[in-house]
Amino acid sequence: MKKSSFRNNPALVGLLASFTAIFLGLVFGFFMLGIFNPSFAGAGIVKILTKGLSSKEKFAKVLYQAAPLMMTGLSVGFAMKTGLFNIGGSGQYLIGTFCALLFGVVLKLPWYVCLLAAMLGGAFWGIFPGLFKALFNVNEVITAIMFNWIGLFLVNLAFSNTPTVLANYYGASVADRTANIEAANPSAVIPKLGMDKLFNSSYMNISFFVAMLVAATIYIIIDKTVFGYELKACGFNQKASIYAGINAKRNVVISMMIAGALAGLGGGIYYLCGTAQYTIEKVLPAMGFNGIPVALLANSNPIGIIFSALFISYIQVGGEALQPEYAKEIVDIIIACIIYLSALSVLMKGLITGLLREKGGNQKEVIEEAPLEETK
Amino acid sequence: MEENIIEMRHITKVFPGLVANDDVTIQLRRGEIHALLGENGAGKSTLMNVLFGLYTPEKGEIRKNGKTVVIKDPNDATALGIGMVHQHFQLVHNFTVLQNIILGAETVKGGFLQLAQARKKVADLSEKYGLKVNLDALIDDITVGMQQRVEILKMLYRDNEVLIFDEPTAMLTPQEINELMQIMKDLVAEGKSILFISHKLNEIMAVADRCTVLRKGKCIGTVNTAETTKEELSEMMVGRKVEFVVAKEDANPTDTVLEIKDLSVAGRRSTKKSVHDVSFKVHKGEIVCIAGIDGNGQSELVYALTGIMPAESGEIIFKDRDITKETIRNRNLDGIAHIPEDRHEYGLVLDYTLAENLVLKKYFMKDFQNRGFIDFPAVRKYADRLIEKYDIRSSQGALSVARSMSGGNQQKAIVAREIDYDPDLLIAVQPTRGMDVGAIEYIHRQIVKERDEGKAILLISLELDEVMNLSDRILVMFEGGIVGELDPKQTTVQELGLYMSGAKRNDMREAE
Ligand SMILES: Nc1ncnc2c1ncn2[C@@H]1O[C@H](COP(=O)(O)OP(=O)(O)OP(=O)(O)O)[C@@H](O)[C@H]1O
Ligand SMILES: [Mg+2]
């Protein structure tokens, strides 16, 4: 904490820590590959590392997945900067999804209105953990987890009972998922601006750029504005912020709302691409939870989150290519291990600071060598 | 046997932008109390952190009993019998006293803690040195003085023979200070050796055998306290003569600025009221001091006045307006400034830079923002002005992270911010806590200057010297009530002490 002189360059230590964590994650992933199917381990790790850049189509897929990841990552990161842990990304993401599809498929509104609705939905879902924390001092983690499940079942219930949103209403044979949005309302599909032709992939659209824009906005809010100054002050030292006259309770609620809006927007972005349909299942979307490693890997820095989301999406695309040599579940395990190990940057930070200190100590020993021998 | 138990030779420690210790050599003799004196930011804590293994110096060596040793981290220091009580305590707040004492030095058998054994050892130690503590109390629930004793017990539990005290008395009441002085003498009599940092020259003269003075990272010299005076020491340290008593004219109180009527405040920890039915007035152009032994309701009174805690009943009238229910922000804007008692709890956002901390109450004002964006150049300029005016020293000026600053300079930053707020009422709680004599002199002058400009000042201090020197009127608080009003010119420290201990009281209430 207060040790090395490198301390004064936390950005550098943070970056170094992230890279070390990623490296260790990959080494661990390699071992996992070896355990499950030794003969393909070498080829497997190469696939994970190169697949995302192997073709235009694959790269498009990387960008496509990175956009919603970036949003849930920003959601976690933003809350973290203000001293809150938003583990409710999944729930907020789902409510965002619901609002986006309701506005797009049922109400036939254009994509930007749908995205706005997704944000508002997510923000609404963020209010609850914020409010409980501010008013009753209930830990936001507990409320957020509860609201993940409430959100999931509420959304499933609502979709099941809204026939006009389901796939079979638009001629498909199944009723367990939402409609193909291209068929239901093409104007709700996020524009591709011809990039789909360029990349030769229907996954390609402007969502990645929208997400980058949001990341930049969040960066500006946190680092440059009066509002960000207040939020960070609350995060660092709530008592001092109260002393300064900042309304800390209100800020807790607003922070969670913004975090919720970001996650909700993630849901909207993903399901308005025109390539995904929401399936009514009893599982929380991994996208929500994956925001946590994305944020941790980037030390909650909004610009860093752009890159960490890209990285994790890249690894995921690489992982998909491991089939059929590895079963789908095993691929999931391996990828999850890499992601979560990569997120141990906090641990790495401690290690690196320690190592740097050690180096300082060695220098000292050199100086001390002479007197040491004297005394012997 | 070697005369010096510890010898730090030619220590140089560099932080980016600053040489905190520049070729410092210091010898601690076996069985002595050795004081370390120096201005805020002179590098005392840094030097002790080097000895305790928290910092690795760029140059220099440490010898214990004449043998060169390498201290890479606090574990090495502990193994060598070196212990430290930090300027800002290092306790786990939701652990008990006993748990804190044994933390990191637990006796374990088959994976289980051997608490009974530890309890016995701690109890024996606390008996032997008169360090009274309740082993099962949570740190959160005990006073600062008791926390200090826990820190001392931590060192004794580890059988340390070299004890470092970094400003142990800054947070203590006069009574506790006397107790601590006695404990230190007992420890030395038992064969321990002590390094002692303090800004209070009286204490140094009273307990230390020798004193080493640092200035701007350099060692100025070591003197025997028996052969020197307070004046000489302070001149060595600051480089000029220091006045211990601030010169001031008689007060000219005019309009009432603050009027408190029958104010009661709930307790912070218990349900018992900590302030009950307190009434008094503060006028423009006077310094009113609330004296009292720590824990008699002064903190709660201040929190109610500043809005951090709600008032249970009664009224607070500020400039003819009832502000009892007003928000903190509005009270500030109305003209109340507040130097809080604990700089780390309320006073600073330690992870913000010095500049950001200096605008903690002004960041939203039109001078420092532009359509919702912080005007960083303006913040920087303002910070540089205060840094210059109040001589706030740090390694990277306005851009230093507050956490990296020395304790006294953190305090200066808060005082600078609050005085420069240009309030009508300045509530100053222990404003000079942790400052060197030169800085205290300057701050006292500033406070008197504010008074002369017609500001009202409410001073809360545990230090009787400060109370007697600075105030125009003293109100004594005892068990949540005001038990006396005294004129500092017509009272003595002894009489004040009687009021503070509740042995004497005069009825304050004016006939209605
Ligand atoms: N970790 C750090 N990083 C950068 N600068 C530091 C760090 N620790 C201390 N400093 C700087 O080194 C100088 C000496 O600090 P130190 O804490 O040793 O002062 P001190 O003599 O103990 O003062 P005080 O009486 O105020 O406690 C200060 O200017 C401080 O800003
Ligand atoms: Mg210090």
Side-chain angles (χ1 to χ4, degrees):
Chain A
M1 199 172 80
K2 46 193 146 182
K3 291 150 194 180
S4 128
S5 50
F6 261 74
R7 204 195 150 276
N8 263 60
N9 201 340
L12 192 68
V13 174
L15 207 65
L16 220 60
S18 295
F19 280 122
T20 318
I22 289 175
F23 179 73
L24 286 185
L26 289 170
V27 171
F28 188 74
F30 180 63
F31 279 116
M32 299 279 289
L33 290 170
I35 291 169
F36 287 114
N37 193 342
S39 52
F40 286 101
I45 196 79
V46 170
K47 267 190 187 164
I48 290 181
L49 286 178
T50 55
K51 201 67 188 178
L53 277 175
S54 63
S55 66
K56 283 189 296 193
E57 295 90 320
K58 287 294 171 204
F59 188 64
K61 184 104 191 264
V62 170
L63 295 185
Y64 159 76
Q65 283 186 5
L69 261 180
M70 209 188 297
M71 299 316 304
T72 52
L74 282 171
S75 169
V76 176
F78 180 81
M80 203 92 85
K81 284 263 181 200
T82 66
L84 296 162
F85 187 44
N86 179 26
I87 200 169
S90 294
Q92 296 144 7
Y93 179 88
L94 280 168
I95 302 290
T97 303
F98 174 75
C99 292
L101 294 178
L102 187 74
F103 276 59
V105 177
V106 180
L107 303 177
K108 311 270 187 262
L109 289 164
W111 63 280
Y112 45 89
V113 181
C114 299
L115 287 186
L116 203 67
M119 279 177 82
L120 291 176
F124 172 68
W125 219 237
I127 290 182
F128 297 99
L131 214 56
F132 281 119
K133 168 110 181 179
L135 295 184
F136 314 115
N137 203 20
V138 177
N139 194 317
E140 73 275 11
V141 171
I142 297 176
T143 323
I145 292 177
M146 306 266 278
F147 272 81
N148 277 343
W149 293 102
I150 298 175
L152 173 67
F153 290 112
L154 207 62
V155 166
N156 284 352
L157 193 73
F159 275 143
S160 313
N161 290 299
T162 314
T164 49
V165 83
L166 296 177
N168 57 354
Y169 190 81
Y170 297 90
S173 58
V174 285
D176 67 339
R177 66 196 58 186
T178 57
N180 179 340
I181 189 141
E182 298 257 22
N185 173 15
S187 78
V189 179
I190 296 175
K192 299 184 168 27
L193 300 185
M195 284 187 293
D196 52 335
K197 309 255 160 32
L198 201 66
F199 281 83
N200 193 18
S201 160
S202 59
Y203 288 126
M204 196 56 213
N205 60 30
I206 62 165
S207 61
F208 180 77
F209 305 98
V210 172
M212 283 218 307
L213 209 67
V214 176
T217 312
I218 292 293
Y219 165 73
I220 290 171
I221 290 180
I222 290 181
D223 271 20
K224 305 286 177 214
T225 66
V226 171
F227 178 55
Y229 176 98
E230 288 194 350
L231 290 180
K232 272 187 301 177
C234 291
F236 285 137
N237 182 352
Q238 185 157 5
K239 282 185 166 174
S241 71
I242 290 171
Y243 159 88
I246 295 169
N247 188 339
K249 288 188 179 202
R250 191 194 63 191
N251 279 351
V252 166
V253 181
I254 297 183
S255 282
M256 284 308 281
M257 279 177 68
I258 295 181
L262 290 167
L265 182 58
I269 281 183
Y270 187 70
Y271 287 102
L272 293 181
C273 280
T275 40
Q277 286 159 278
Y278 178 79
T279 330
I280 299 173
E281 279 182 319
K282 288 183 193 142
V283 277
L284 286 170
M287 202 69 90
F289 294 119
N290 284 343
I292 299 171
V294 168
L296 288 177
L297 193 55
N299 285 308
S300 300
N301 177 321
I303 304 301
I305 285 173
I306 299 180
F307 295 98
S308 63
L310 267 174
F311 165 74
I312 287 182
S313 170
Y314 185 85
I315 293 288
Q316 281 174 339
V317 169
E320 281 162 24
L322 289 178
Q323 300 175 51
E325 283 85 357
Y326 294 86
K328 182 178 178 305
E329 287 74 17
I330 292 175
V331 172
D332 284 344
I333 293 175
I334 294 170
I335 296 305
C337 286
I338 296 178
I339 291 178
Y340 281 89
L341 240 99
S342 309
L344 292 183
S345 55
V346 185
L347 194 83
M348 292 307 140
K349 232 168 157 172
L351 271 176
I352 287 174
T353 327
L355 275 176
L356 291 172
R357 270 191 72 207
E358 200 80 344
K359 250 172 71 191
N362 288 341
Q363 280 170 3
K364 194 178 99 188
E365 268 159 28
V366 174
I367 299 167
E368 270 175 5
E369 227 144 42
L372 232 170
E373 266 155 20
E374 246 170 58
T375 47
K376 266 177 200 158
Chain B
M1 214 193 303
E2 179 68 36
E3 183 194 22
N4 295 324
I5 182 159
I6 291 287
E7 205 177 347
M8 298 181 79
R9 291 164 56 99
H10 307 294
I11 301 287
T12 296
K13 173 72 206 162
V14 183
F15 290 119
L18 177 110
V19 184
N21 290 147
D22 189 355
D23 196 23
V24 175
T25 297
I26 172 172
Q27 281 130 356
L28 175 67
R29 291 189 189 140
R30 189 178 304 283
E32 78 165 339
I33 300 183
H34 192 124
L36 210 51
L37 184 65
E39 291 174 291
N40 297 128
K44 306 177 295 292
S45 298
T46 304
L47 188 66
M48 292 301 105
N49 283 336
V50 166
L51 181 57
F52 192 56
L54 284 170
Y55 292 138
T56 310
E58 273 66 38
K59 278 198 209 120
E61 61 162 341
I62 299 171
R63 293 185 182 178
K64 170 134 194 260
N65 292 327
K67 283 200 196 63
T68 302
V69 291
V70 178
I71 306 177
K72 283 213 292 280
D73 53 42
N75 289 335
D76 291 349
T78 308
L80 290 166
I82 301 170
M84 179 160 179
V85 178
H86 292 268
Q87 190 165 3
H88 304 109
F89 297 159
Q90 317 270 312
L91 296 168
V92 182
H93 279 249
N94 50 358
F95 267 27
T96 65
V97 168
L98 183 64
Q99 286 169 331
N100 265 287
I101 291 173
I102 64 171
L103 187 64
E106 305 90 347
T107 330
V108 187
K109 208 184 218 165
F112 289 95
L113 272 179
Q114 300 298 301
L115 273 181
Q117 228 173 315
R119 179 182 294 274
K120 170 126 199 348
K121 183 169 175 190
V122 175
D124 289 347
L125 285 171
S126 97
E127 176 87 4
K128 183 166 165 197
Y129 294 101
L131 292 158
K132 284 179 250 87
V133 288
N134 172 2
L135 291 183
D136 299 306
L138 290 180
I139 296 298
D140 251 339
D141 297 335
I142 63 179
T143 63
V144 179
M146 182 110 65
Q147 293 182 6
Q148 173 118 62
R149 275 175 255 157
V150 176
E151 287 279 13
I152 299 174
L153 280 169
K154 254 166 80 177
M155 295 195 294
L156 297 177
Y157 184 78
R158 285 159 181 72
D159 299 317
N160 291 325
E161 48 177 351
V162 176
L163 312 180
I164 306 168
F165 286 90
D166 192 351
E167 287 190 45
T169 58
M171 312 278 271
L172 300 186
T173 63
Q175 292 78 356
E176 287 170 329
I177 291 175
N178 288 340
E179 278 171 35
L180 179 67
M181 300 282 118
Q182 191 52 50
I183 290 168
M184 285 169 69
K185 284 183 189 156
D186 292 347
L187 287 168
V188 176
E190 285 285 324
K192 313 269 184 198
S193 313
I194 293 179
L195 276 159
F196 170 54
I197 302 180
S198 178
H199 289 295
K200 298 182 191 166
L201 300 168
N202 290 334
E203 292 168 3
I204 292 180
M205 298 302 282
V207 294
D209 302 294
R210 294 193 302 156
C211 176
T212 296
V213 180
L214 297 183
R215 194 198 301 162
K216 303 213 162 129
K218 290 201 181 64
C219 186
I220 300 292
T222 303
V223 290
N224 292 328
T225 50
E227 294 156 17
T228 187
T229 59
K230 270 168 69 175
E231 286 71 23
E232 223 172 270
L233 279 179
S234 57
E235 206 176 327
M236 254 178 109
M237 160 183 160
V238 192
R240 64 176 166 87
K241 287 214 163 29
V242 177
E243 284 167 31
F244 296 109
V245 178
V246 60
K248 68 180 180 41
E249 309 280 307
D250 281 349
N252 251 326
T254 55
D255 308 346
T256 306
V257 172
L258 176 75
E259 178 170 9
I260 299 170
K261 292 186 195 159
D262 297 321
L263 183 72
S264 292
V265 187
R268 254 183 305 174
R269 294 198 179 107
S270 63
T271 46
K272 225 178 89 202
K273 272 194 230 171
S274 47
V275 176
H276 36 91
D277 297 338
V278 164
S279 307
F280 63 87
K281 287 182 186 172
V282 184
H283 303 96
K284 277 188 176 174
E286 67 169 346
I287 301 176
V288 175
C289 175
I290 305 224
I293 298 170
D294 198 18
N296 275 287
Q298 303 97 312
S299 312
E300 289 82 0
L301 174 66
V302 168
Y303 289 149
L305 290 181
T306 51
I308 290 173
M309 273 176 79
E312 226 176 49
S313 60
E315 276 175 59
I316 303 167
I317 316 277
F318 179 63
K319 294 197 287 187
D320 300 323
R321 204 165 70 79
D322 185 351
I323 58 156
T324 319
K325 297 240 148 58
E326 213 30 290
T327 60
I328 298 176
R329 172 61 49 86
N330 285 341
R331 293 181 206 219
N332 292 345
L333 291 176
D334 237 23
I336 296 182
H338 171 202
I339 299 168
E341 69 177 308
D342 184 333
R343 54 180 170 253
H344 286 183
E345 193 178 15
Y346 284 104
L348 293 169
V349 177
L350 286 174
D351 297 294
Y352 267 173
T353 61
L354 175 54
E356 284 168 320
N357 271 293
L358 287 173
V359 294
L360 193 59
K361 286 182 174 170
K362 288 192 168 176
Y363 64 91
F364 57 91
M365 292 181 178
K366 68 173 186 321
D367 291 353
F368 300 112
Q369 69 145 312
N370 192 351
R371 287 191 214 133
F373 287 86
I374 301 245
D375 183 352
F376 285 102
V379 169
R380 185 68 199 276
K381 232 171 106 193
Y382 175 73
D384 285 338
R385 205 193 85 218
L386 288 193
I387 289 169
E388 164 93 38
K389 183 166 172 205
Y390 288 86
D391 190 25
I392 305 169
R393 298 181 196 176
S394 59
S395 53
Q396 289 168 317
L399 298 182
S400 315
V401 176
R403 192 183 290 287
S404 79
M405 290 167 54
S406 85
N409 283 299
Q410 292 176 346
Q411 186 71 23
K412 283 195 216 168
I414 296 173
V415 173
R417 179 181 73 210
E418 297 308 308
I419 292 184
D420 202 77
Y421 198 72
D422 202 18
D424 295 312
L425 171 68
L426 173 65
I427 302 177
V429 188
Q430 306 268 50
T432 56
R433 177 176 268 181
M435 286 189 190
D436 66 54
V437 285
I440 293 178
E441 179 193 28
Y442 180 74
I443 297 303
H444 280 177
R445 276 206 204 128
Q446 290 298 313
I447 291 179
V448 170
K449 192 167 144 245
E450 290 292 302
R451 179 201 77 170
D452 292 343
E453 283 170 9
K455 307 285 161 55
I457 291 159
L458 186 64
L459 174 75
I460 288 86
S461 183
L462 300 175
E463 263 174 72
L464 295 182
D465 281 347
E466 190 164 75
V467 173
M468 297 300 271
N469 288 345
L470 214 50
S471 55
D472 299 314
R473 200 148 64 86
I474 302 174
L475 300 173
V476 185
M477 220 168 157
F478 178 71
E479 292 191 339
I482 303 254
V483 294
E485 173 166 350
L486 302 167
D487 179 346
K489 284 206 285 296
Q490 290 169 14
T491 189
T492 58
V493 173
Q494 283 71 21
E495 191 182 8
L496 185 58
L498 287 179
Y499 277 97
M500 283 169 47
S501 63
K504 203 172 169 189
R505 57 173 70 206
N506 63 19
D507 204 4
M508 288 270 309
R509 262 166 221 253
E510 298 147 41
E512 314 238 322

